[in-house]
Amino acid sequence: MIKLIYNFHFVIFFLPINAIIFSQTVTILPTPDRNNSFETRFLGVNSLAIDKRSLFLMSKDKGYFEIKNLDEQKNPKTDFQFSKKIPIKANRRKRMNFINLLGEKGYTILNGIDLELYFYSVDHRFVSNHSLIYDLILPPQDRGGEAPTWEISSTRANFLNNLKKVQEEKISGVTKIPPTWATSSRKAYLLSSRIQNFPILMMTCENDNPTQCRIKRHCFTKNLNIPPKSTSGITIHEKSKTILIANSKDHKIIQLRYYSCFHIVKKNEILLPKRLKRISNILIDDHDNLWISTEFQDDYYNSTVFRWKSSEWMP
């Protein structure tokens, strides 16, 4: 792993101290070896999730997802035999993201194009679905409380106007906000969005109904600079209060320091190996490993899912 430090100097003449230095670290991920490169039944992956020792992988456009057992012996020639193929209810051309894996109860999937949520039982049977409520979005809450009425109205009008302009993927990724960050008793999530000027959104869901959800807030971000169509997944590292969001156009991941939905600041960039194809989603597991999925197979191991240890990606 190579780490490069760039120093940017800003001179502020009206302060007693006339030079303030900000440092930004750039981490270059090493090329993953065979043991950290995973094949799938399909050519491209939309999203991924991990529950205990099972890896859930959503196909890009094949209408099903795959479950791989991470405890099985890995063999390049028999890799497929350790997985299950599960069909999904929605149209096969939709972009799907796993929201929550609920252990014994089941799991929830978000349709990122039509903004619908689907709940499946633990034995992979479809149970129910609901539309995601999005027209009551709020600005982030600051120390003074909720924004004034005029700001709420302006935020909603801008959001709905920009939402109408997005014909394909509106939501490209989802990650659960850990309880240590939460500000309410409801389940909360951060979404990576392809809606202009709204790259990170907060969603809340009813505790007793995982598909009853609404987009609660627009989160402020500083210096993110990702083209809307290039946001390709989001994940959280709880211990360091860090958000990672993928930039598929520039083949990198942006690290952000999370203070609150009102205050999110860029702190680092992770450059991806050139061998990887276009990134589609990202995940940090309970062991701080970074997982990346791609839309196409690489040219070495025919893999679309890759893994790095924390020491390889953390600055």
Side-chain angles (χ1 to χ4, degrees):
M1 177 177 64
I2 303 173
K3 295 184 180 179
L4 307 176
I5 305 295
Y6 297 98
N7 289 324
F8 301 93
H9 302 266
F10 299 88
V11 179
I12 305 175
F13 293 102
F14 54 84
L15 292 176
I17 301 175
N18 65 357
I20 298 179
I21 300 176
F22 298 92
S23 295
Q24 178 180 308
T25 304
V26 176
T27 302
I28 302 177
L29 283 182
T31 301
D33 59 19
R34 180 66 188 94
N35 290 328
N36 291 291
S37 302
F38 296 81
E39 293 182 68
T40 60
R41 292 174 182 265
F42 36 81
L43 297 180
V45 176
N46 254 354
S47 67
L48 67 166
I50 291 180
D51 180 39
K52 299 177 182 176
R53 295 299 297 166
S54 294
L55 176 64
F56 288 65
L57 302 168
M58 183 67 67
S59 65
K60 180 182 175 184
D61 56 9
K62 298 300 182 183
Y64 62 85
F65 63 89
E66 178 182 353
I67 304 175
K68 299 177 75 67
N69 187 340
L70 296 176
D71 289 327
E72 299 285 359
Q73 180 67 36
K74 190 172 174 58
N75 186 317
K77 294 182 180 180
T78 59
D79 207 17
F80 295 142
Q81 74 179 13
F82 301 126
S83 64
K84 300 176 184 177
K85 179 180 173 182
I86 311 297
I88 55 177
K89 177 181 183 294
N91 186 303
R92 59 179 280 174
R93 295 181 62 82
K94 307 302 183 184
R95 182 181 181 103
M96 300 288 175
N97 285 281
F98 294 102
I99 288 187
N100 200 23
L101 303 176
L102 301 176
E104 296 179 356
K105 295 182 180 180
Y107 46 91
T108 313
I109 296 173
L110 171 66
N111 178 334
I113 294 181
D114 292 337
L115 301 184
E116 292 187 346
L117 298 110
Y118 308 91
F119 183 71
Y120 285 77
S121 65
V122 70
D123 57 353
H124 317 304
R125 289 182 296 108
F126 172 76
V127 177
S128 63
N129 69 291
H130 288 93
S131 296
L132 175 63
I133 299 171
Y134 55 78
D135 56 347
L136 299 177
I137 188 172
L138 297 167
Q141 188 175 25
D142 61 18
R143 294 180 181 178
E146 294 291 357
T149 302
W150 67 265
E151 186 177 348
I152 293 174
S153 299
S154 176
T155 296
R156 288 176 179 172
N158 290 335
F159 178 77
L160 294 174
N161 182 56
N162 290 340
L163 176 66
K164 292 176 183 177
K165 298 176 183 178
V166 184
Q167 300 301 315
E168 293 298 322
E169 289 92 353
K170 301 168 181 66
I171 304 300
S172 63
V174 57
T175 187
K176 187 176 182 180
I177 298 176
T180 55
W181 298 17
T183 57
S184 72
S185 58
R186 292 182 177 178
K187 290 185 173 67
Y189 305 84
L190 292 179
L191 311 178
S192 58
S193 158
R194 293 185 173 176
I195 303 166
Q196 182 74 41
N197 300 325
F198 294 87
I200 299 180
L201 303 170
M202 179 181 289
M203 177 179 74
T204 58
C205 300
E206 298 295 332
N207 291 328
D208 58 349
N209 192 331
T211 59
Q212 289 278 16
C213 304
R214 60 170 286 196
I215 294 180
K216 177 78 172 178
R217 298 188 187 279
H218 160 223
C219 293
F220 288 163
T221 56
K222 218 172 180 186
N223 303 321
L224 187 56
N225 299 326
I226 299 179
K229 291 184 179 181
S230 298
T231 58
S232 299
I234 187 169
T235 189
I236 281 173
H237 185 246
E238 181 178 3
K239 299 172 196 170
S240 63
K241 298 210 75 173
T242 299
I243 299 171
L244 275 66
I245 185 166
N247 178 346
S248 60
K249 178 179 181 294
D250 297 322
H251 206 55
K252 63 185 178 182
I253 296 171
I254 309 299
Q255 283 187 303
L256 304 162
R257 178 67 164 86
Y258 180 88
Y259 297 94
S260 68
C261 187
F262 183 80
H263 188 196
I264 301 175
V265 182
K266 180 180 176 180
K267 72 173 190 178
N268 185 40
E269 291 186 356
I270 301 174
L271 304 184
L272 306 180
K274 293 182 179 180
R275 196 191 85 189
L276 272 63
K277 300 301 174 95
R278 183 181 174 91
I279 187 172
S280 62
N281 228 305
I282 53 178
L283 168 74
I284 296 174
D285 65 22
D286 291 339
H287 302 287
D288 297 336
N289 297 312
L290 172 64
W291 295 76
I292 291 177
S293 62
T294 59
E295 293 186 12
F296 306 99
Q297 295 173 325
D298 73 347
D299 297 324
Y300 294 81
Y301 303 123
N302 296 323
S303 298
T304 50
V305 178
F306 308 89
R307 177 178 59 192
W308 289 266
K309 297 180 297 183
S310 60
S311 59
E312 296 176 306
W313 69 268
M314 293 183 70

